[in-house]
Amino acid sequence: ILNVEQSPQSLHVQEGDSTNFTCSFPSSNFYALHWYRWETAKSPEALFVMTLNGDEKKKGQISATLNTKEGYSYLYIKGSQPEDSATYLCAFENFNKFYFGSGTKLNVKP
Amino acid sequence: NAGVTQTPKFQVLKTGQSMTLQCAQDMNHNSMYWYRQDPGMGLRLIYYSASEGTTDKGEVPNGYNVSRLNKREFSLRLESAAPSQTSVYFCASSAQGPFEQYFGPGTRLTVT
């Protein structure tokens, strides 16, 4: 069983703040790292799939970076809005299996 | 285009009862997955199917069986439900990777 860790567990920010979260994963046998956004009472939705060391992906005000050599990925949200409130999950993909972290729960106050 | 569908949405079972959770996808994906989600634990992979006709164990397969009926459908069976299987179950599918997974709406199962 592979260990995928996310920090912090939860985060409370004000509207307009920028924030970032960390996902740590094993640095050996890397295949892909996924980020998902999970709103309460809904299903997880994919944000990014990252495969190459140094990869940077962006979708609107959300961006992610990847360092496969040291085994971490950062997710950044610039200028958080209340609608960004959700749990953000990362998942390490290895030989068709996905290992999810327990998520970072973001609450953005208006 | 319904994406990934799951039935039922809710179920209450007594200890020892059996049931099958159904999952279907209409995106022509090769890979399908079953996860359980427990508080503080994130999503844990129960079983997956990389292609029609193949299935393999994930992190927490004990107490479950699966069937990949065809390319569209992947079912999860609890032969003798236990209270420890109380959870929310998600089905997901993806194209052969690395591509994003698409998740169904989930089934909330309570075993008393």
Side-chain angles (χ1 to χ4, degrees):
Chain A
I1 295 177
L2 298 174
N3 201 27
V4 178
E5 293 187 357
Q6 290 188 247
S7 61
Q9 266 190 313
S10 66
L11 205 49
H12 297 261
V13 302
Q14 290 293 137
E15 182 175 354
D17 287 350
S18 293
T19 186
N20 64 85
F21 331 129
T22 304
C23 173
S24 302
F25 51 86
S27 55
S28 57
N29 294 320
F30 180 82
Y31 181 64
L33 192 283
H34 298 244
W35 281 101
Y36 290 85
R37 182 171 178 274
W38 193 358
E39 290 181 71
T40 304
K42 293 188 176 180
S43 304
E45 289 185 349
L47 283 172
F48 306 115
V49 181
M50 308 179 81
T51 56
L52 298 173
N53 186 42
D55 233 357
E56 289 189 27
K57 300 267 186 177
K58 190 171 179 184
K59 185 181 283 190
Q61 298 299 102
I62 305 177
S63 60
T65 61
L66 179 69
N67 183 323
T68 60
K69 293 183 179 177
E70 296 183 40
Y72 65 83
S73 176
Y74 293 138
L75 187 81
Y76 301 92
I77 302 179
K78 185 178 171 185
S80 305
Q81 300 297 309
E83 52 267 31
D84 292 324
S85 296
T87 296
Y88 292 83
L89 297 171
C90 68
F92 178 79
E93 184 182 354
N94 180 261
F95 300 111
N96 283 315
K97 293 185 182 180
F98 286 73
Y99 299 88
F100 280 82
S102 53
T104 293
K105 188 169 184 176
L106 174 67
N107 183 27
V108 183
K109 297 177 187 175
Chain B
N1 190 344
V4 180
T5 57
Q6 290 182 236
T7 54
K9 283 193 167 53
F10 302 94
Q11 183 71 49
V12 179
L13 290 178
K14 292 193 170 138
T15 297
Q17 287 185 316
S18 62
M19 80 161 293
T20 299
L21 281 63
Q22 305 286 355
C23 174
Q25 52 92 9
D26 62 3
M27 294 173 282
N28 203 36
H29 286 162
N30 282 324
S31 303
M32 296 186 74
Y33 309 84
W34 276 106
Y35 293 92
R36 59 178 290 172
Q37 191 261 324
D38 302 297
M41 302 284 289
L43 290 165
R44 291 184 293 168
L45 183 64
I46 304 171
Y47 270 94
Y48 68 97
S49 169
S51 61
E52 186 179 352
T54 68
T55 61
D56 214 336
K57 294 178 182 178
E59 237 181 300
V60 289
N62 291 345
Y64 305 95
N65 284 304
V66 290
S67 295
R68 184 74 183 266
L69 304 167
N70 47 54
K71 194 170 186 179
R72 288 187 67 247
E73 297 170 290
F74 189 37
S75 61
L76 179 73
R77 182 159 178 86
L78 286 72
E79 291 291 352
S80 178
S84 60
Q85 292 177 306
T86 293
S87 188
V88 181
Y89 291 86
F90 286 95
C91 177
S93 72
S94 73
Q96 218 112 43
F99 290 103
E100 66 270 20
Q101 292 186 312
Y102 292 83
F103 285 83
T107 294
R108 186 173 293 274
L109 175 68
T110 302
V111 184
T112 61

